[in-house]
Amino acid sequence: GFVPCQLPFKIYRRTASVSSSLCKSYGILKVKSAPKSLKDKFLATGYLSTAGKGAVMEWKCGDNFSHLRGGDLCRVIFLSPSDSRVELLADGEKTLECNVSGSELLRQIVIRRPAEKLELRVLEGELLVYGASFESSSGVIVDNLSVRSNNGGGIFNVSSQLNRQFAALLDYDIVVLQYGLNIMLPDKQNYSKYQKQLEDMIEYAKAVFPDSRIVVMGVTDRGILREGETEYSSIRSADALTRHQKAAADNKSVLFWDTWSEMNALGGLDTFVQRGWVATDQTHFTYAGGAVLAGRMYPFMSSLV
């Protein structure tokens, strides 16, 4: 799937790695720190990198999951505001060199061959690089456009015009909005303010992914340490936030998947802890726990395509 130009929490991303030389990266959560000329250039991918003459950006598949290998199509997504010349290497082998005319349109380089490493070199000019995608012409492709610490508001910093071009290139059937865990507070029952924000996010997602079905994925339960206690217990507000998330989805006529109910159907937080399906913070899922929930979600997603 898609790998952005930056992996800020790369220690947790075992499926891919990114490295670069003479590049500078910016993210949608810190748009104010980006140069003025870049503020309207972000995509839902979350990050962009400026890459001038001599810059190199490299994306590499991880070694941990053999079933993720074997794709037969690769692409690099970028913007070339002025004329440039680029070179692309696949698995260390020069695949193409081309001149790119300056344009405000989003560009892609597509190669139809298996590759586990892509290397983009800027020979002349300057690019805005968004990321690379390792795909297969058959099967299911899942792009995880994750931005850490984002409660969903980051989507409002996405360029609608550019992102619609991105959506056309990647041709997504389904876009899943998975937010809310960071704003959940112990025992809180009223999330009406966040519901309104989520409804605005849904509308924006419809605008930037006009041909995709939108699914809101509900929050999971999580464990917390209450004052004076030595053992984790449920945050006891996931059900309330879930109700508000479903209401937002219903009000905006998009689909909703109730993660909290599915987690309870598997035994709830205690079972997830006992079976090692959540990490020691009782918030983030292990790969095993994620796989179990994915198995529950698969029939729902399959029914949409």
Side-chain angles (χ1 to χ4, degrees), residues 4-224:
C5 60
Q6 183 184 8
L7 295 176
F9 285 75
K10 58 187 177 181
I11 187 173
Y12 299 111
R13 185 71 179 261
R14 296 162 57 196
T15 56
S17 61
V18 177
S19 61
S20 63
S21 173
L22 301 179
C23 298
K24 189 167 183 178
S25 296
Y26 304 91
I28 58 174
L29 295 188
K30 297 182 179 180
V31 171
K32 291 182 179 179
S33 67
K36 185 177 180 180
S37 61
L38 301 181
K39 294 185 188 299
D40 62 346
K41 297 293 190 292
F42 286 93
L43 302 178
T45 55
Y47 304 94
L48 64 80
S49 288
T50 55
K53 182 178 180 180
V56 178
M57 180 75 68
E58 179 185 287
W59 301 268
K60 186 178 179 182
C61 295
D63 300 323
N64 299 283
F65 303 94
S66 59
H67 64 284
L68 296 181
R69 299 179 179 276
D72 55 11
L73 185 150
C74 302
R75 69 178 87 212
V76 176
I77 307 293
F78 65 96
L79 194 67
S80 182
S82 58
D83 292 351
S84 62
R85 186 159 57 94
V86 300
E87 180 181 66
L88 184 67
L89 286 75
D91 291 335
E93 176 184 332
K94 182 176 178 178
T95 303
L96 63 83
E97 180 179 327
C98 62
N99 294 314
V100 183
S101 57
S103 173
E104 291 302 313
L105 294 175
L106 201 63
R107 305 295 186 86
Q108 67 172 344
I109 297 174
V110 179
I111 58 170
R112 299 184 182 279
R113 56 154 286 183
E116 295 183 5
K117 183 175 73 171
L118 295 175
E119 186 177 327
L120 181 69
R121 297 179 177 178
V122 182
L123 305 180
E124 298 288 345
E126 184 174 67
L127 306 182
L128 303 183
V129 184
Y130 295 97
S133 186
F134 298 84
E135 304 172 14
S136 174
S137 55
S138 62
V140 177
I141 301 168
V142 178
D143 291 347
N144 180 16
L145 307 182
S146 172
V147 179
R148 296 281 178 162
S149 301
N150 179 19
N151 67 5
I155 196 172
F156 299 120
N157 295 324
V158 171
S159 165
S160 298
Q161 181 180 6
L162 280 178
N163 205 92
R164 281 194 290 269
Q165 297 173 33
F166 174 73
L169 294 177
L170 276 293
D171 192 25
Y172 291 113
D173 294 305
I174 304 167
V175 171
V176 179
L177 303 180
Q178 182 190 8
Y179 301 115
L181 196 63
N182 290 338
I183 61 100
M184 193 159 56
L185 297 174
D187 306 307
K188 181 175 179 177
Q189 297 299 301
N190 189 344
Y191 290 92
S192 55
K193 183 177 180 180
Y194 185 72
Q195 178 182 325
K196 177 59 172 65
Q197 183 183 359
L198 179 56
E199 290 178 7
D200 292 341
M201 283 185 258
I202 293 169
E203 282 297 319
Y204 205 81
K206 287 181 175 181
V208 297
F209 294 102
D211 299 318
S212 305
R213 302 189 74 172
I214 307 296
V215 175
V216 175
M217 184 175 178
V219 291
T220 59
D221 198 359
R222 61 180 293 189
I224 61 166

Side-chain angles (χ1 to χ4, degrees), residues 229-241:
E229 296 182 355
T230 58
E231 294 186 1
Y232 282 86
S233 59
S234 169
I235 196 168
R236 292 202 294 266
S237 58
D239 57 338
L241 182 52

Side-chain angles (χ1 to χ4, degrees), residues 217-293:
M217 184 175 178
V219 291
T220 59
D221 198 359
R222 61 180 293 189
I224 61 166
L225 274 177
R226 287 182 165 79
E227 186 176 354
E229 296 182 355
T230 58
E231 294 186 1
Y232 282 86
S233 59
S234 169
I235 196 168
R236 292 202 294 266
S237 58
D239 57 338
L241 182 52
T242 294
R243 288 195 299 272
H244 284 277
Q245 289 178 313
K246 185 179 187 305
D250 290 344
N251 289 345
K252 293 302 175 179
S253 301
V254 298
L255 297 163
F256 179 74
W257 196 72
D258 191 340
T259 319
W260 179 76
S261 292
E262 293 293 338
M263 187 175 176
N264 283 330
L266 290 164
L269 182 62
D270 288 344
T271 296
F272 272 69
V273 171
Q274 293 165 8
R275 297 188 178 182
W277 291 347
V278 289
T280 53
D281 63 0
Q282 295 195 15
T283 298
H284 298 92
F285 289 94
T286 62
Y287 278 87
V292 170
L293 268 181

